[in-house]
Amino acid sequence: MQKSVIRDLQLKGFLSAIDVHFAKFISGFSADRDADLFLAAGLVSHATGKGDTCLGLETVAGKQLIDEQNERLAVVCPQLEVWLEKLKASPAVGSPGEIRPLILDTNHRLYLYRYWEYEDTIARSIKRRIENPIHGLDHQHLKNILDRLFPKTEQQEIDWQKIAGAVACLKHFCVITGGPGSGKTFTVTKVLALLLELLAGQRLQIYLAAPTGKAAARLKAALEPATDQMECDAAIKTAFPSEVFTIHRMLKPIRGSPYFQHNSENPLRADVVVVDEASMVDLALMAKLLRAIPENARLIFIGDKDQLASVEAGSVLGDICDRDVMHGFSAPLKKRIQKLTTANIESVVKTADAKSGLQDSIVVLHKSYRFAAGSGIGALSRAVNRGDADAALGILGDAAEKSLSWQHLKSDTYLMEALSEQIVSAYQPYLATRDPAEALHRLERFKILCALNIGPLGVHAINRLAEQVLSRHNLIQPDTSGENPWYAGRPVLITRNHYALGLFNGDIGVTLPPAGTGDREWVVFFRANDGGVRRFLPHQLPEHETVYAMTVHKSQGSEFDDVLLILPNKDVPILTRELVYTALTRARQKITIWGTPAILRSALTRKIQRTSGLRDALWGF
């Protein structure tokens, strides 16, 4: 039976070679190489490859397996009781707390050991932080600073940024989450000022970090002007941290291993750690981060809980925030907040039960300062988040809304013709200048986003089309032989960090000839932190790719004036409301969506549902 299971699952591409290799290893723990044990091990390995942290046995027990194209496979999973009995009898499977290759918990979730340990590490660390009260705060002093940094306005509305500042001071662990333009970075700048002034005698050691180099650079660029605008002493501004790290660089990787120099035995010497774009942090990295941060330090996560989850396994920020539920605050915290901020939140914020305590560490910034209340992009983002396809299509169909555009694609031929026109009109101004700084500025005005890398409407195909179209219009002159990818105007996206060069995954550069050299030599220019440009020879660059178009996943942390989102011409599992939402929120001024109503509807009915036990462990479900 095992050979037929392996053959069917491999032929259909359901299990990878790694999945099969691991399944064979686990089934070897049984004398008869039991096929049900093999199947469980292969499926849990397959699940982690898709982004789940475990396999929910109840979801597949007794069912026929189906691949991503909804094609039924010949393999039928055993009934739950039979499966559980075999797993519990295997020396390869242990209970939580035991060290075995596989862990089976009481909710019938099957883990690879390391993923169970990651979840357990995160849950225990966060619980200890929220159960550890902060003593000795001068509440009157804190109130005075809050009133100065967050002055009252004429509008009679709750200042959620001020509440976030208060919670960050009161707690060892705090999450500040909100949509685009809700002022997350601005708020964290004031939180740092609050803490520096409130604890002025302690000479705080503060770390600022983000998951990618691009996100770290954006945080640094956003903090500097926000700091200059604050109403606080020059000494406080001087004490602000001057560097923003990637999480990896902050923890210091050990060469040739997945481990870091900073860990539970050698923690960071930190009083405050701020992690921006926390939704991009995967399960493994989050566990290693929490091990390395002292539990008496304040840990502050900043991010949008509704954005795409990390590329690797887990949906950690979503699980921490219990994404789809607004829990409110406990009664004691509501009273403290009202005293500190004078905000009348009693009738606005529901009183949560004290079952978890985590609800008191999460603040959602409700107001968008980028999009006005009646903004089309803002309204569309909210409809997408709700999964309301009728509302979304209605908003997109409003001809009076100039920030939105919807193109119903009836055929691939029509798409290619329309897209060719769009590419020429959007990229012609960018290609018309030979000034590197101006070219980088113009390149941020427009970007094509795709859901997929491959396929007729994927990034690779659209980038090839862009080069062909721009070449036909004599806007670029690429090497037609294909031997040399470099030409004047080629935009490139860095896809791997290079710390020595200061180039990071997500950085976008432009290729131009140096002044006075004609079109015989190429230099790739990137924006510098001081507003200038940095130059590199093409052979110096780490891994990179052409970027007239990019995937929505790779666009996280970036913003463009005008975004064109191209939906696939057929439904695919990766197409979710989180992906559409993330694409929408990359746009500063205008978003155009090309696709069919059926595909958009399908996307908005599908949420990222990554199987995980972290939410239950944190919230006590």
Side-chain angles (χ1 to χ4, degrees), residues 96-155:
E98 294 183 309
I99 301 178
R100 304 281 182 88
L102 296 174
I103 299 296
L104 178 64
D105 73 8
T106 56
N107 291 305
H108 307 151
R109 289 184 287 242
L110 187 65
Y111 290 86
L112 302 179
Y113 174 78
R114 69 179 182 275
Y115 285 96
W116 173 84
E117 186 184 33
Y118 291 149
E119 277 195 7
D120 186 62
T121 294
I122 294 170
R124 288 178 181 271
S125 176
I126 290 177
K127 283 181 177 180
R128 286 193 294 265
R129 293 172 196 274
I130 64 178
E131 291 167 359
N132 181 17
I134 290 179
H135 299 290
L137 285 182
D138 184 336
H139 283 68
Q140 185 57 50
H141 187 32
L142 173 57
K143 183 181 185 307
N144 294 340
I145 305 171
L146 281 166
D147 288 343
R148 176 161 36 83
L149 290 177
F150 299 91
K152 286 185 177 181
T153 63
E154 294 181 0
Q155 296 176 322

Side-chain angles (χ1 to χ4, degrees), residues 257-312:
S257 86
Y259 303 109
F260 295 96
Q261 294 181 35
H262 288 295
N263 50 39
S264 57
E265 296 178 356
N266 179 35
L268 285 166
R269 293 183 177 179
D271 300 299
V272 180
V273 177
V274 177
V275 180
D276 195 22
E277 296 286 0
S279 64
M280 297 171 66
V281 183
D282 62 70
L283 187 80
L285 184 57
M286 185 66 79
K288 294 169 185 179
L289 173 68
L290 289 172
R291 286 182 190 135
I293 298 174
E295 290 183 359
N296 62 349
R298 283 177 171 85
L299 175 59
I300 303 169
F301 288 163
I302 311 295
D304 187 343
K305 63 183 176 62
D306 296 315
Q307 273 193 189
L308 280 169
S310 59
V311 175
E312 303 298 329

Side-chain angles (χ1 to χ4, degrees), residues 162-326:
K162 188 174 186 178
I163 291 173
V167 172
C169 290
L170 296 172
K171 300 290 181 178
H172 280 110
F173 178 69
C174 176
V175 178
I176 301 174
T177 183
S182 56
K184 296 184 292 292
T185 304
F186 183 72
T187 302
V188 81
T189 308
K190 292 195 174 185
V191 167
L192 295 179
L194 267 169
L195 292 170
L196 285 166
E197 190 167 345
L198 184 66
L199 307 173
Q202 297 185 23
R203 302 185 66 180
L204 297 179
Q205 180 65 46
I206 300 174
Y207 282 89
L208 304 178
T212 67
K214 178 65 177 292
R218 285 181 59 84
L219 177 59
K220 181 178 175 63
L223 284 173
E224 290 173 350
T227 304
D228 292 340
Q229 296 172 18
M230 278 195 309
E231 294 292 330
C232 61
D233 294 340
I236 299 298
K237 294 182 180 181
T238 303
F240 264 67
S242 59
E243 188 169 9
V244 180
F245 297 87
T246 63
I247 295 173
H248 283 79
R249 192 155 68 93
M250 180 176 71
L251 300 184
K252 297 182 179 177
I254 298 174
R255 185 182 295 273
S257 86
Y259 303 109
F260 295 96
Q261 294 181 35
H262 288 295
N263 50 39
S264 57
E265 296 178 356
N266 179 35
L268 285 166
R269 293 183 177 179
D271 300 299
V272 180
V273 177
V274 177
V275 180
D276 195 22
E277 296 286 0
S279 64
M280 297 171 66
V281 183
D282 62 70
L283 187 80
L285 184 57
M286 185 66 79
K288 294 169 185 179
L289 173 68
L290 289 172
R291 286 182 190 135
I293 298 174
E295 290 183 359
N296 62 349
R298 283 177 171 85
L299 175 59
I300 303 169
F301 288 163
I302 311 295
D304 187 343
K305 63 183 176 62
D306 296 315
Q307 273 193 189
L308 280 169
S310 59
V311 175
E312 303 298 329
S315 181
V316 182
L317 187 67
D319 286 341
I320 290 172
C321 295
D322 195 12
R323 181 184 308 193
D324 297 324
V325 180
M326 294 293 290

